[in-house]
Amino acid sequence: MPEYCQTTRPECDDGRSRGCLVMACAVAGVVMLGFLRPDIASGYPQNQTVESLESRGDITPTDADSEKEKLAALLATEQQLVQRLIEAFPDDEGPLVLAGSIHARHGNTDEAIAYWNKAVQVNPKRADVYAKMAQVALQIDELDRAIELWRRVLQIDPTTPRAHYEMANALMQSGQYQPCIEAIQKEMALTGETPESCFLLGQTYQHLQDYAKAKQSFLRVVKLQPDHRKAYYGLYNVCIRLKQRDEAKEHLGQFKTLKDQYREAVREADESMLTDLECFYVGLANFCYGVHEFTQTAGGTAVTREVLEAALGLGQENAVFLRRLAVQYSKAEQIGTALGLYLRAARVAPRDVSCQLNIGILAVKAQRFNIAEKAFRNVITLAPEHHGGYQELTRLYLRMRKNAPET
């Protein structure tokens, strides 16, 4: 399932996933090389100007008789593109990793694992690929396999982000509680205490019936994250075990309040879930950025450029795609490129508040203060109840020493 982010900072976006349907790819895809402009072949290099990105013409998306047919055609095209990379670079694991990720995104776990196994045969040092396989193994309840794969990840790189935590999670689910505690402690040594690590530790102590330590861990969770409803429920349970009934009642009340708020948030999220076609575009953006990274390592060959421009062409008219791709470039600190993509997304979806907010924040980073001011004012116009527009515009004016009375 693709990764999605929240809304308020430039490295974030507003997608919410309900998962993409597994679609048959029998419909032949239309490879859009002929429709693409030469400047797209560069893969949006970091030094490209905002103006050049903002001024590009729109690309007509594939016409299809129905959304289902369109999605099937897009899926088929994406698979054709990654297959072209595999054929062009038979001795490189990069395209195999991308192919596995495409299949995993659409629920084809067997095919994903097959491609990733081929990738680690080419390069056994790819800790990130073993991590992908471990995550899939955990999802399908192959706990022993997941633990084995996480051990392999940590053998290659003991500092792999979240590896100790994920290992601990698999160990706890398999009932190996003491090794789970040791893995959590190693994670905390690398990252410090986080709500999820402390919560997992509390769960583990609860399984071991060490309720005093479980309570300490859950209390640490709510100190770090006061709206962690599951931690309050954990506190309720352990306090009952410790015969601290008054405190248990208090924690249960906090849990119920947060649970009601959570249900309301889920209801609102359900109303704005992405369609299956939009889910595809989020995944396509991740694929494009993966091809971009591979293009950098492969030296920018004609094949990689053609594949990248074809993949980019599939989503040029889609705001979801453009926003998600902007997230990827923003994470890589390629601010000019990310800003240009958000500006294009805003042309497609001019009333998208989060897009305007991200434009403003990135424009400040790029010292494009006129663009930032306009974007923050757009936020205020579109969503006057949203504090972000006022907050960021105030920061901008303080930085510019401008409009003191209004500030």
Side-chain angles (χ1 to χ4, degrees):
M1 184 176 292
E3 283 185 349
Y4 300 99
C5 306
Q6 301 300 317
T7 62
T8 55
R9 305 302 300 175
E11 59 272 16
C12 299
D13 205 289
D14 61 347
R16 282 180 286 263
S17 170
R18 65 185 178 93
C20 300
L21 292 176
V22 179
M23 304 294 296
C25 293
V27 180
V30 179
V31 181
M32 303 178 67
L33 292 173
F35 293 96
L36 291 160
R37 303 260 298 274
D39 54 349
I40 300 177
S42 62
Y44 295 131
Q46 185 170 0
N47 60 357
Q48 192 152 16
T49 64
V50 172
E51 288 80 1
S52 66
L53 284 164
E54 187 180 9
S55 63
R56 285 193 182 129
D58 294 328
I59 297 173
T60 304
T62 305
D63 290 326
D65 294 332
S66 68
E67 181 173 305
K68 182 177 179 180
E69 291 178 356
K70 181 176 181 179
L71 179 56
L74 289 167
L75 287 169
T77 301
E78 186 181 36
Q79 292 182 344
Q80 290 170 3
L81 294 175
V82 76
Q83 190 60 40
R84 187 172 182 194
L85 286 179
I86 291 171
E87 292 169 358
F89 300 91
D91 299 323
D92 196 303
E93 80 279 3
L96 296 169
V97 176
L98 288 171
S101 296
I102 290 173
H103 282 288
R105 190 201 319 153
H106 299 293
N108 305 320
T109 55
D110 290 342
E111 291 86 348
I113 293 295
Y115 276 111
W116 288 334
N117 273 323
K118 291 178 182 177
V120 294
Q121 288 172 11
V122 175
N123 183 357
K125 298 298 184 182
R126 286 290 299 259
D128 61 317
V129 180
Y130 285 110
K132 292 176 187 293
M133 291 193 286
Q135 290 166 347
V136 170
L138 188 62
Q139 289 169 5
I140 60 178
D141 291 327
E142 293 184 358
L143 297 177
D144 291 341
R145 178 63 175 159
I147 292 168
E148 175 190 345
L149 288 165
W150 282 119
R151 286 200 176 107
R152 186 65 183 269
V153 171
L154 291 167
Q155 286 172 358
I156 297 171
D157 183 4
T159 64
T160 299
R162 291 181 56 86
H164 290 289
Y165 171 83
E166 297 292 352
M167 166 79 102
N169 188 27
L171 288 166
M172 190 198 73
Q173 292 188 44
S174 66
Q176 301 180 53
Y177 300 125
Q178 194 55 47
C180 172
I181 291 172
E182 293 170 4
I184 296 171
Q185 290 170 341
K186 290 177 181 177
E187 177 74 13
M188 288 180 172
L190 288 172
T191 64
E193 291 185 341
T194 64
E196 60 182 356
S197 293
C198 291
F199 182 72
L200 186 60
L201 188 59
Q203 287 182 301
T204 307
Y205 281 129
Q206 196 171 0
H207 282 296
L208 290 170
Q209 299 183 7
D210 191 338
Y211 300 118
K213 287 185 177 179
K215 181 181 178 182
Q216 291 174 5
S217 296
F218 290 140
L219 285 171
R220 186 61 182 157
V221 175
V222 298
K223 184 176 181 180
L224 293 168
Q225 184 181 332
D227 63 348
H228 198 299
R229 71 186 192 286
K230 292 183 179 179
Y232 283 111
Y233 192 72
L235 282 167
Y236 161 72
N237 279 316
V238 297
C239 285
I240 288 292
R241 297 284 187 173
L242 293 169
K243 302 187 185 304
Q244 299 169 351
R245 298 191 180 279
D246 289 343
E247 191 174 347
K249 184 178 179 180
E250 180 183 342
H251 291 312
L252 181 61
Q254 290 169 313
F255 165 73
K256 287 180 177 179
T257 299
L258 290 170
K259 184 179 180 182
D260 290 341
Q261 294 173 358
Y262 173 74
R263 284 176 173 170
E264 179 63 20
V266 169
R267 185 190 65 77
E268 292 177 359
D270 286 344
E271 292 175 355
S272 56
M273 278 183 176
L274 298 177
T275 66
D276 295 308
L277 188 58
E278 288 171 327
C279 284
F280 168 81
Y281 281 120
V282 172
L284 178 66
N286 294 337
F287 171 68
C288 285
Y289 192 75
V291 177
H292 163 75
E293 290 186 310
F294 179 69
T295 300
Q296 304 299 99
T297 61
T301 68
V303 172
T304 59
R305 287 195 298 269
E306 285 182 3
V307 169
L308 180 57
E309 66 183 54
L312 290 168
L314 296 177
Q316 288 297 299
E317 189 71 14
N318 187 274
V320 172
F321 169 81
L322 293 166
R323 289 198 308 265
R324 182 58 188 176
L325 193 57
V327 169
Q328 297 285 33
Y329 280 98
S330 179
K331 287 179 179 178
E333 292 297 320
Q334 297 188 27
I335 303 303
T337 302
L339 177 56
L341 288 163
Y342 271 122
L343 287 166
R344 286 179 59 80
R347 292 218 314 269
V348 178
R351 299 189 63 80
D352 187 316
V353 175
S354 68
C355 188
Q356 295 291 338
L357 189 60
N358 281 309
I359 287 171
I361 294 169
L362 286 170
V364 170
K365 282 192 172 186
Q367 297 188 5
R368 302 298 300 275
F369 299 132
N370 58 330
I371 294 177
E373 181 178 7
K374 180 179 177 182
F376 294 143
R377 287 197 174 277
N378 286 340
V379 173
I380 293 170
T381 300
L382 293 170
E385 75 287 353
H386 194 303
H387 74 277
Y390 303 103
Q391 177 178 301
E392 297 296 343
L393 188 59
T394 300
R395 288 176 177 168
L396 176 63
Y397 283 158
L398 289 172
R399 180 171 178 171
M400 298 171 63
R401 303 181 183 277
K402 178 181 177 181
N403 289 356
E406 186 178 2
T407 300

